[in-house]
């Protein structure tokens, strides 16, 4: 999805998206709890949520005492996120990962993105992987669809016009094959199904 088109769409739907804020918080809290033995987010100090929407994941990370930053291409999303009591102390920025982010290399322990990757072309996903890799120290986490499709999801994603249908077939393999400056982007990619239709793709960075 082109960034200007995406910005217009997400600015328009921000009030609707906000209806699901509390449900999203509940979902993320459950996921974090369920996978804590496999991957304990609370053991990290800082995280950035790319495509943070109205701030649900930021609220959960903030409540865990993690220094949290959220970015989104839609200013209306940011405005709503900044007004939540659960995100007090979270820093929000209007920014686009495909155009480069205003942070130094290795700024955050974890870079996180929920339901962003599948809406991008393969070329733009690779750009996102590389930019997230630049600003992260330890891990990149993609919360996105797995291969358990439904007719409704397929129809909605067809209307959106993203790359959903290819992404769900190649997600893990594509991340594993990502190359930046003649080196693999990630040392390891682990896929953990966090619900019937979604997974966390946890990408470990090479230790320097």
């Amino acid at each position: 999805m082109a960034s200007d088109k995406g910005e217009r769409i997400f600015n328009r739907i921000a009030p609707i998206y906000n209806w699901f804020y509390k449900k999203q918080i509940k979902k993320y809290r459950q996921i974090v709890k369920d996978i804590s033995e496999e991957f304990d987010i609370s053991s990290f100090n800082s995280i950035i949520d790319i495509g943070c929407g109205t701030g649900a994941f930021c609220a959960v990370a903030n409540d865990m005492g993690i220094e949290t930053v959220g970015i989104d291409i839609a200013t209306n999303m940011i405005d709503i996120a900044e007004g939540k009591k659960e995100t007090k102390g979270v820093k929000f920025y209007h920014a686009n990962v495909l155009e480069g982010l205003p942070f130094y290399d290795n700024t955050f322990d974890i870079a996180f993105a929920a339901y962003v990757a599948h809406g991008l072309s393969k070329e733009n996903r690779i750009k996102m992987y590389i930019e997230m890799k630049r600003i992260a120290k330890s891990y990149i986490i993609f919360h996105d669809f797995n291969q358990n499709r439904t007719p409704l999801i397929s129809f909605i994603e067809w209307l959106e016009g993203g790359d959903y249908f290819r992404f769900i077939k190649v997600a893990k393999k594509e991340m594993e094959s990502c190359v930046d400056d003649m080196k693999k982007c990630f040392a390891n990619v682990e896929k953990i199904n966090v619900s019937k239709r979604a997974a966390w793709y946890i990408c470990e960075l090479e230790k320097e």
Side-chain angles (χ1 to χ4, degrees):
M1 181 183 295
S3 60
D4 55 344
K5 178 183 177 183
E7 185 172 353
R8 289 196 302 271
I9 290 173
F10 287 109
N11 270 319
R12 192 176 302 125
I13 69 171
I16 300 171
Y17 202 78
N18 189 40
W19 293 347
F20 304 99
Y21 172 75
K22 289 185 178 179
K23 185 177 181 180
Q24 288 177 318
I25 286 181
K26 184 178 179 180
K27 176 186 70 177
Y28 283 131
R29 282 179 175 156
Q30 189 62 51
I31 289 171
V32 168
K33 179 181 177 182
D34 288 346
I35 71 167
S36 60
E37 290 189 6
E38 296 171 271
F39 190 86
D40 184 9
I41 282 185
S42 68
S43 65
F44 296 92
N45 297 317
S46 59
I47 193 165
I48 181 169
D49 182 2
I50 293 170
C52 65
T54 55
F57 183 77
C58 289
V60 172
N62 188 50
D63 187 54
M64 297 171 71
I66 302 171
E67 183 180 345
T68 307
V69 168
I71 71 158
D72 205 281
I73 61 171
T75 54
N76 290 353
M77 292 285 193
I78 294 296
D79 290 343
I80 292 171
E82 288 181 324
K84 301 293 186 182
K85 66 179 185 296
E86 296 90 350
T87 62
K88 184 178 180 180
V90 177
K91 295 179 181 178
F92 291 100
Y93 298 87
H94 176 230
N96 188 336
V97 68
L98 301 181
E99 297 173 359
L101 298 176
F103 305 107
Y104 294 115
D105 295 358
N106 311 123
T107 298
F108 305 95
D109 291 329
I110 297 174
F112 177 90
Y115 294 118
V116 176
H118 77 270
L120 302 175
S121 66
K122 178 180 178 180
E123 179 184 3
N124 281 339
R125 281 199 299 273
I126 298 301
K127 286 183 182 179
M128 180 175 68
Y129 299 160
I130 292 172
E131 180 62 2
M132 291 174 72
K133 169 179 170 285
R134 182 186 70 80
I135 63 171
K137 297 176 188 174
S138 301
Y139 290 93
I140 295 171
I141 301 173
F142 299 100
H143 178 123
D144 220 304
F145 291 111
N146 57 27
Q147 289 185 281
N148 295 322
R149 292 166 50 180
T150 67
L152 178 59
I153 291 175
S154 295
F155 178 66
I156 292 171
E157 293 303 325
W158 175 76
L159 288 177
E160 183 183 285
D163 199 31
Y164 163 79
F165 297 100
R166 183 156 66 122
F167 173 79
I168 61 172
K169 295 178 181 178
V170 303
K172 186 173 184 289
K173 185 180 295 185
E174 180 181 275
M175 293 169 195
E176 289 172 333
S177 63
C178 173
V179 174
D180 178 30
D181 195 24
M182 304 299 289
K183 297 179 182 178
K184 289 181 65 176
C185 294
F186 311 122
N188 183 57
V189 179
E190 181 179 4
K191 177 184 174 183
I192 302 175
N193 285 318
V194 296
S195 70
K196 189 173 182 179
R197 312 202 187 283
W200 274 25
Y201 301 88
I202 303 174
C203 306
E204 183 179 3
L205 300 180
E206 293 280 2
K207 300 293 188 294
E208 295 185 357

